[in-house]
Amino acid sequence: MDDWIDYYDSTHTIYVSKLHRDLHFQIIARDIIGYISSPDATVLDYACGEALSANEVANACGKLILAEPAPGVRGRLIARFAPNTKIRVRSLEDVRKMAEQSIDLVVMNSVVQYMTPAELDSAFIVIRRLLKPSGKLVLGDILQPEVGMFRDVLALLSFGARHGFLKDALVGLVSTALSDYRHLRSRIGLQRYSEEEITAKLAVAGFSVQRAHTNIGHNRWRMTFIARPRFARG
């Protein structure tokens, strides 16, 4: 995951325009809010990225913890959300030290593809420990083995056509093809899981799992899962 952390900590071109970037985060925030069950809930956004619409999520819950591994991004989050007393910014190391059963909702969106299988297993163990018995993990934007980059291109173009940045999307695709992102994706690759594989991984970590009807965000060819702690009965 370190190479991807360095990439997202750099001046990257993953978004084709400001409108694309802003809409991306607005839609994710809207979808996350849909999973918040109480205005008093403590929510953890695991590897949150820039989280530009975090204020909206914070308005819907009691406390929002933005956990981000990239130090440069984390610094920007601290500066951006300093006025909002409901938002806390933490490193992933800080998350590992948090109190047991202290979180109502964990969201891990568009993160799994950048983690090694071992890193993902470790993250699931940490999250399982942090969740309250009634809590849940929402695991979003999972890439499927049989769905390649062509579907991601179609999803972006469709998104651009619906929201008025199709020309920027076309130009952005050319830029991405020549960018560090494309080279990194070709060299390292992205992790992909079938529904059965991600369900099995979560089950080993102590979760019961169901697939959500719709994915978080705009890409309908990716998957979202809802996982709840499974407690042994004595």
Side-chain angles (χ1 to χ4, degrees), residues 2 4 15 28 37 49 55-56 83 85-86 89 91 101 110 136-137 164 166 169 189 199 202 212 216-217 230:
D2 288 346
W4 286 113
Y15 304 110
I28 288 173
S37 58
N55 280 322
E56 284 74 14
T85 58
K86 295 174 73 173
V89 179
S91 68
Q101 297 186 11
S110 202
K136 60 179 175 282
L137 162 65
L166 179 58
T199 297
L202 285 161
I216 291 179
R230 189 180 65 245

Side-chain angles (χ1 to χ4, degrees), residues 49-154:
E50 296 286 350
L52 295 181
S53 295
N55 280 322
E56 284 74 14
V57 178
N59 287 340
C61 65
K63 182 196 297 184
L64 174 61
I65 301 167
L66 300 176
E68 171 54 41
V73 176
R74 197 162 60 245
R76 291 194 291 275
L77 291 170
I78 291 170
R80 184 179 301 132
F81 298 114
N84 194 328
T85 58
K86 295 174 73 173
I87 296 177
R88 296 288 183 270
V89 179
R90 298 289 184 262
S91 68
L92 297 189
E93 180 61 29
D94 293 332
V95 169
R96 286 189 280 271
K97 298 174 183 176
M98 288 169 54
E100 184 175 346
Q101 297 186 11
S102 59
I103 305 295
D104 296 286
L105 170 66
V106 177
V107 177
M108 183 189 283
N109 184 61
S110 202
V111 178
V112 169
Q113 63 264 35
Y114 303 121
M115 305 176 79
T116 67
E119 288 171 338
L120 183 59
D121 290 339
S122 296
F124 284 164
I125 291 170
V126 171
I127 291 168
R128 172 66 175 74
R129 183 182 65 81
L130 294 179
L131 279 172
K132 295 177 181 178
S134 60
K136 60 179 175 282
L137 162 65
V138 176
L139 195 66
D141 225 31
I142 306 299
L143 280 68
Q144 302 184 66
E146 69 277 11
V147 179
M149 187 183 295
F150 179 68
R151 295 293 190 186
D152 288 343
V153 170
L154 285 181

